Amino acid sequence: MTDSHEAMLYEKLDGQKVRCGLCGHRCEILAGKFGICRVRQNVAGVLRSLNYAAVVAVNADPIEKKPLFHFLPGTQSLSIAAAGCNFQCEFCQNWQISQSPRDGRGMGGQAISPQQIVTAAINYDCASISYTYTEPTVFFELAYDTARLARESGLKNAFVSNGFMTELAVETIAPYLDAINVDLKAFKDSTYRKIMKGRLEPVLTALKALVAAGIWVEVTTLVVPGMNDSPDELKQIAGFIAGELGCDVPWHVSRFHSDYKMTDAKATPIETLELACKLGQDAGLKYIYCGNVPDKADERTYCPNCEAVLIDRAGFSIRGINLSDGACPNCNEVIPGVWE
Ligand code: SF4
């Protein structure tokens, strides 16, 4: 049996059944069975996390790669993942590690303790730890234990997530979580059900809870031709961010390249990305970034008041930061984010 660790956030029901409270699936799991994510198992009435000791990736990445653009720009983030995901997106770019427990390839990875992860982050001169590549919600226990230790060592913590987490999960991680990038993948529940095998509403609820908890939130939408690229749907996404989360929340509009099971779909036309950016501006969003378009994308941060260039980026590297105590040095407009 895989090394396991008792899960957090579950209830015991009658007859050794349990209900997991970590993500929107809220699986009710009989003894001996697994949750939808396949990384949580009911072992004799106790829910166990099977991927606590299955770290499949550890890299020091620029924080810009997450992407997080208003969070400690120009710093490195120790980026870790354990196997598994609660979604099954057909266009997943990390399916080798996110879907391995589901498709029979097992957990893989190795046991790396929270203390070892924090020590590695310090040794690599990282300012933060990112829980990323797969879905941090389903390696919650490892992320939670590591984030607490990281905070004690003066490091910040960031999730890169599909946002399909319960309000209880948000509330539990909030004291240690500084930032999160959430993929808002569509604005139709039918797309979430069909392509991701999830639902839209829990993602919207979690996004509002994350903002309300004071965590720095950025949103990414991978624009996939034929899936979420209609002007109406892009407008709805931009309108939700502006209306429910706030115009200060950055929106990363990202270009799709075919992957995993969606190998027939074409790359997103540049004009579609430009339209998305325009719709974001019309909705009132102040910070819109166009990703995955080498040479063409303008991923600089401009002052929304006087249009001065505040952060100049090229790919994942920073060419210059022109902020004075988190404000535009030209007109003193306060720029939201975590700068120190
Ligand atoms: S994390 Fe989500 S998918 Fe996994 S067992 Fe819990 S509720 Fe089910």
Side-chain angles (χ1 to χ4, degrees):
M1 190 178 120
T2 315
D3 281 346
S4 71
H5 189 94
E6 184 168 359
M8 295 168 68
L9 311 188
Y10 76 100
E11 320 166 48
K12 296 188 178 191
L13 306 175
D14 290 343
Q16 288 202 335
K17 205 166 149 186
V18 300
R19 182 189 295 119
C20 179
L22 199 47
C23 90
H25 290 308
R26 296 178 196 270
C27 300
E28 286 192 10
I29 310 169
L30 296 170
K33 302 292 184 192
F34 297 84
I36 289 172
C37 58
R38 303 290 299 182
V39 295
R40 293 166 95 72
Q41 184 182 19
N42 178 343
V43 180
V46 174
L47 188 61
R48 304 203 68 92
S49 162
L50 306 182
N51 58 359
Y52 193 94
V55 176
V56 289
V58 183
N59 296 300
D61 285 339
I63 193 71
E64 285 72 23
K65 195 173 174 183
K66 304 300 115 195
L68 282 166
F69 279 11
H70 291 224
F71 179 73
L72 307 175
T75 65
Q76 296 283 302
S77 187
L78 192 82
S79 302
I80 67 155
C85 190
N86 45 2
F87 278 4
Q88 301 169 52
C89 305
E90 292 178 8
F91 49 83
C92 183
Q93 293 172 342
N94 288 327
W95 60 273
Q96 292 95 334
I97 49 178
S98 70
Q99 301 300 317
S100 57
R102 182 172 290 111
D103 65 18
R105 284 176 292 124
M107 296 301 147
Q110 54 183 315
I112 305 180
S113 71
Q115 186 57 63
Q116 287 173 311
I117 294 168
V118 170
T119 302
I122 294 166
N123 289 345
Y124 282 106
D125 206 15
C126 293
S128 63
I129 297 177
S130 290
Y131 308 83
T132 178
Y133 307 133
T134 58
E135 176 49 50
T137 308
V138 305
F139 63 89
F140 193 83
E141 292 74 15
L142 177 65
Y144 180 85
D145 289 352
T146 306
R148 284 182 59 172
L149 279 179
R151 181 59 71 80
E152 282 170 19
S153 299
L155 296 166
K156 295 202 185 312
N157 295 294
F159 272 19
V160 180
S161 171
N162 59 29
F164 195 62
M165 56 178 73
T166 60
E167 287 174 272
L168 178 63
V170 171
E171 193 183 294
T172 307
I173 196 69
Y176 309 104
L177 190 63
D178 299 285
I180 186 167
N181 185 304
V182 173
D183 275 335
L184 183 50
K185 296 169 189 275
F187 214 72
K188 286 187 188 146
D189 189 58
S190 55
T191 306
Y192 266 89
R193 286 179 188 268
K194 185 168 169 236
I195 311 277
M196 294 69 158
K197 310 287 186 284
R199 283 178 293 120
L200 171 63
E201 186 279 326
V203 178
L204 303 183
T205 301
L207 272 164
K208 289 188 264 187
L210 287 157
V211 169
I215 296 160
W216 176 253
V217 174
E218 303 192 16
V219 174
T220 294
T221 300
L222 178 70
V223 181
V224 182
M227 187 188 85
N228 61 1
D229 62 340
S230 74
D232 261 6
E233 190 160 357
L234 293 169
K235 194 171 169 183
Q236 284 177 310
I237 293 173
F240 170 81
I241 299 169
E244 300 289 339
L245 308 181
C247 292
D248 284 343
V249 169
W251 187 29
H252 299 263
V253 179
S254 185
R255 190 175 193 212
F256 169 78
H257 299 280
S258 64
D259 225 318
Y260 194 34
K261 294 181 184 168
M262 227 185 222
T263 48
D264 292 342
K266 294 198 170 66
T268 321
I270 304 292
E271 302 75 51
T272 308
L273 299 175
E274 287 171 350
L275 173 67
C277 294
K278 162 87 171 52
L279 294 169
Q281 281 163 359
D282 292 348
L285 294 177
K286 295 181 188 165
Y287 308 98
I288 303 164
Y289 301 101
C290 223
N292 284 359
V293 194
D295 304 329
K296 279 222 154 198
D298 185 351
E299 296 201 283
R300 287 179 284 194
T301 300
Y302 293 92
C303 174
N305 183 45
C306 73
E307 298 184 357
V309 175
L310 301 177
I311 305 175
D312 192 4
R313 300 180 183 84
F316 298 134
S317 54
I318 296 286
R319 288 198 284 219
I321 299 177
N322 184 28
L323 282 169
S324 171
D325 291 331
C328 172
N330 192 37
C331 71
N332 295 324
E333 172 87 359
V334 173
I335 308 301
V338 178
W339 306 115
E340 294 185 351

